[in-house]
Amino acid sequence: MSQRAGLQAYFTSLDGIPRPAPGRHVLGTVAFGERTGLSLTGQGHPELAIPMSSPGFDSFREVWTTGTEPVSGTRGNLAFAHDGEYLFISGALPPLPVYRKTVREVYEAAFALVNELGYPHIFRMWNFVGDIIGPNAEGMEIYQDFVAGRAEAFASYGDGTGHMPAATGIGTRGEGISFTLLACREGRPRHVENQRQTPAYHYPEQYGPKPPSFARATRLHPAGAGQGDGALFVSGTASILGHETVHRGDVAAQTDVVLENIAELIGGPNLAAAGLDGGHELKDLRLVKAYVRHEADLPVVRERCRSAFGPDTEVMYMNVAVCRDDLLVEIEGLVPGPEWTR
Ligand SMILES: C=C(O[C@@H]1C=C(C(=O)O)C=C[C@H]1O)C(=O)O
């Protein structure tokens, strides 16, 4: 089977329309700006717009491309595109007094679409949660409310923790909840945990009625590739050791722990513990997003990211809340696979 030109992504300006390299086709985009919305663009691909940008921080578009012309569509709260190997789905919910039931219904609809279209392997999710640490109408933290509904949807999708993809669950500067997921047909995701952290799906009940449904990372073995190929998607990572927040109130120390956590996660010994070959360093990361809780903390976080990542690592900074009130910074990214060129 010829190696299908794989999935790739890049960051670009919000101005104008995405212009991928020759032979590449836009599968879907996420606009990290001031707008909120979900639609098929004039170019025919789904775009999720989320209010994430603010003065002094970044605004940008994340563009996912493939080597095959995709087919797109909408269904209820969902917009999607697929190319025969990769599927991009985005969904959006309006602000609600309580989210659990509607989150379960919309995520179940997304998982049903994953299976109906024939792309059963979800390998990365992003969950954008407005007012993430604020209270819902019943006084429960909105993140915990969201997590409970998502966990119930995941119960119908997979066989439990073996199917938890890498994910990010992060605040926005607006309201409502939206998400993007990436899934594949023939590729094989391998989910990875971090030996420094309790798997999120095993968090104790002190963090909420249901534990979060995600893995610390997912390596995607593209169809037809050998062992060790494929991108490594790194979940949003915070200053958590075991299941506890460390260095409350100290953004410098929290940033150091975040970077240490990611370095451990993507390193050879931790990947080997998951039965995977290879190993990477922080300088190998690309498409990094850094979420900074307090505006004044940006210089400290930026200085540490510049020191830790390589000159080829693009880092976008956003001033949004993280999923716990005592977390001051969170970082995500990916290590491209060999098929990633642009
Ligand atoms: C920071 C953490 O969780 C955050 C929330 C996630 C989610 O709920 O999908 C995924 C990764 C992070 O963005 C953590 O629990 O370590």
Side-chain angles (χ1 to χ4, degrees):
M1 168 183 187
S2 66
Q3 170 95 20
R4 178 188 301 273
L7 182 71
Q8 298 173 17
Y10 62 92
F11 290 158
T12 188
S13 160
L14 282 176
D15 301 333
I17 59 174
R19 298 195 182 284
R24 303 293 299 169
H25 305 272
V26 178
L27 184 67
T29 57
V30 183
F32 294 81
E34 297 180 358
R35 288 189 309 113
T36 299
L38 174 57
S39 63
L40 294 184
T41 68
Q43 294 73 45
H45 63 262
E47 173 155 292
L48 176 65
I50 32 174
M52 299 293 278
S53 68
S54 57
F57 289 80
D58 293 305
S59 58
F60 61 101
R61 178 174 276 117
E62 181 177 79
V63 183
W64 291 91
T65 69
T66 67
T68 304
E69 181 78 30
V71 174
S72 60
T74 61
R75 181 173 302 177
N77 303 61
L78 309 175
F80 61 92
H82 54 106
D83 77 340
E85 173 54 26
Y86 294 105
L87 170 64
F88 175 106
I89 299 179
S90 278
L93 289 69
L96 295 169
V98 176
Y99 282 101
R100 183 169 181 164
K101 178 175 179 295
T102 308
V103 164
R104 185 186 73 242
E105 291 166 351
V106 177
Y107 278 62
E108 282 178 343
F111 297 160
L113 187 59
V114 156
N115 288 314
E116 176 191 329
L117 294 174
Y119 299 81
H121 308 296
I122 300 173
F123 57 88
R124 185 59 161 104
M125 293 191 77
W126 289 266
N127 307 278
F128 304 104
V129 183
D131 197 16
I132 190 168
I133 51 177
N136 70 7
E138 295 172 347
M140 177 183 283
E141 197 176 81
I142 288 173
Y143 177 62
Q144 295 182 16
D145 185 7
F146 155 74
V147 164
R150 176 184 55 175
E152 290 170 346
F154 261 103
S156 67
Y157 161 70
D159 60 0
T161 57
H163 287 260
M164 298 289 175
T168 296
I170 196 72
T172 74
R173 302 179 68 87
E175 297 179 311
I177 292 176
S178 54
F179 66 92
T180 292
L181 71 80
L182 294 171
C184 60
R185 185 191 297 273
E186 300 294 335
R188 285 297 176 270
R190 293 287 297 278
H191 306 306
V192 182
E193 291 305 321
N194 190 332
Q195 297 175 71
R196 284 165 56 104
Q197 298 186 298
T198 304
Y201 44 81
H202 288 159
Y203 281 170
E205 286 191 14
Q206 69 195 72
Y207 300 105
K210 296 272 188 179
S213 309
F214 69 95
R216 298 293 176 187
T218 296
R219 171 179 278 160
L220 176 60
H221 291 286
Q227 174 72 5
D229 287 341
L232 180 64
F233 296 86
V234 174
S235 297
T237 304
S239 182
I240 293 175
L241 296 177
H243 60 75
E244 296 182 311
T245 299
V246 295
H247 302 303
R248 286 177 176 78
D250 183 343
V251 67
Q254 285 203 12
T255 307
D256 290 340
V257 169
V258 170
L259 294 168
E260 290 160 7
N261 280 346
I262 296 174
E264 167 80 17
L265 174 67
I266 65 177
N270 192 67
L271 294 183
L276 298 176
D277 292 339
H280 311 283
E281 301 174 344
L282 290 176
K283 66 178 178 51
D284 300 323
L285 280 171
R286 299 293 181 270
L287 298 180
V288 171
K289 302 187 190 95
Y291 306 103
V292 183
R293 171 80 187 279
H294 298 303
E295 182 180 350
D297 291 343
L298 176 60
V300 169
V301 174
R302 194 197 301 269
E303 182 272 327
R304 275 163 168 73
C305 287
R306 280 179 174 161
S307 301
F309 300 124
D312 297 330
T313 301
E314 56 281 70
V315 184
M316 294 295 174
Y317 297 88
M318 289 158 276
N319 179 208
V320 293
V322 187
C323 65
R324 293 182 190 175
D325 191 29
D326 54 10
L327 292 173
L328 302 174
V329 56
E330 178 174 310
I331 296 174
E332 66 165 70
L334 64 83
V335 178
E339 75 282 1
W340 282 55
T341 55
R342 187 185 169 229

